[in-house]
Amino acid sequence: DTLHPAAVLELQRLPTGQAEDMLRFKIYTDGTGGSGDLPPAWAFAVLGYDGDDTCHFIGFMCGTLTQAGAFASGMDTLANNGAEYAAVIWASLWAMQTKATRIDVITDSELTIGMATSKFTPKVNQQASLLLSDIWFALSTAKTTTLQHVPSHTGDPWNELADSIAALASNGLTVRLPEKVKSSLTRTFFWKWAWVQLLSPAAAEAYPPPQAT
């Protein structure tokens, strides 16, 4: 009863799959501002395409937004836009760990797209906006990417699924991120040049080691 009927239908139709078997991914992200005592939360749902271009449901990750701790993502206000940023940040971090060469990220937040692509200037959550744009730049340099907009609450099954999972996360559901993914976020000066770290060893040798400035 929690999921949108369109999402339920697609989940019943699609086969599941393993991320390591996929050549490309579509990742649907969403965030919720929470309500009352419930915290803002983020979520992303992953579709994978194998060598035959067959679509598989890979899974999802989600969590709540926080201003404290090592993984606060630089939030200075716990607004809905922060949850949308966090969804793309964590989705991009997850995607970096895969061998897929193409990543399409789909969000219903035009503001998040503008911040990720540095087309907008943030008025709040400035550190989070900078982190978002740096991580998106890293992912886009290492892999072929698109960042697409989908209208919210129009029955798109995967946008509706990400929305439902974010709501569940606000109510306490959490899918823990791999420690490798989380620890990457805390590396000072890492993300501006993270794309070099994602190159093959031979290609990376053409660039000097990144230095803090």
Side-chain angles (χ1 to χ4, degrees):
D1 295 337
T2 303
L3 301 182
H4 191 279
V8 172
L9 184 63
E10 285 298 286
L11 287 170
Q12 292 173 340
R13 182 183 68 85
L14 281 188
T16 57
Q18 298 297 317
E20 57 267 26
D21 298 327
M22 302 298 133
L23 300 183
R24 65 184 180 97
F25 293 107
K26 286 186 177 180
I27 308 177
Y28 286 78
T29 70
D30 207 356
T32 177
S35 61
D37 295 331
L38 298 178
W42 57 269
F44 65 87
V46 184
L47 303 178
Y49 294 80
D50 61 18
D52 296 325
D53 211 36
T54 300
C55 182
H56 301 259
F57 178 63
I58 305 302
F60 65 89
M61 288 184 178
C62 60
T64 54
L65 205 60
T66 176
Q67 290 175 280
F71 310 116
S73 305
M75 302 297 169
D76 52 41
T77 178
L78 296 183
N80 181 59
N81 66 345
E84 298 279 4
Y85 295 176
V88 175
I89 287 171
W90 291 119
S92 299
L93 288 172
W94 179 87
M96 286 182 188
Q97 315 301 315
T98 72
K99 69 177 184 180
T101 58
R102 181 181 178 91
I103 309 292
D104 299 306
V105 176
I106 301 98
T107 174
D108 59 18
S109 170
E110 292 181 290
L111 176 64
T112 300
I113 294 175
M115 293 301 178
T117 56
S118 301
K119 293 180 180 178
F120 296 165
T121 301
K123 295 182 179 179
V124 297
N125 287 331
Q126 294 180 351
Q127 289 184 340
S129 300
L130 179 60
L131 179 64
L132 170 63
S133 63
D134 283 353
I135 289 176
W136 182 252
F137 175 80
L139 179 64
S140 298
T141 306
K143 301 176 185 289
T144 300
T145 63
T146 64
L147 186 54
Q148 305 171 20
H149 177 256
V150 60
S152 61
H153 305 299
T154 57
D156 181 287
W158 304 112
N159 172 255
E160 298 290 355
L161 178 62
D163 178 75
S164 296
I165 296 170
L168 289 169
S170 181
N171 279 276
L173 174 67
T174 299
V175 176
R176 299 178 67 85
L177 289 158
E179 290 303 317
K180 180 180 179 182
V181 176
K182 293 202 296 185
S183 64
S184 297
L185 187 61
T186 65
R187 292 172 62 179
T188 305
F189 304 106
F190 176 73
W191 288 111
K192 198 68 174 179
W193 294 96
W195 57 274
V196 177
Q197 310 291 330
L198 299 171
L199 296 174
S200 67
E205 288 179 357
Y207 298 90
Q211 301 290 328
T213 58

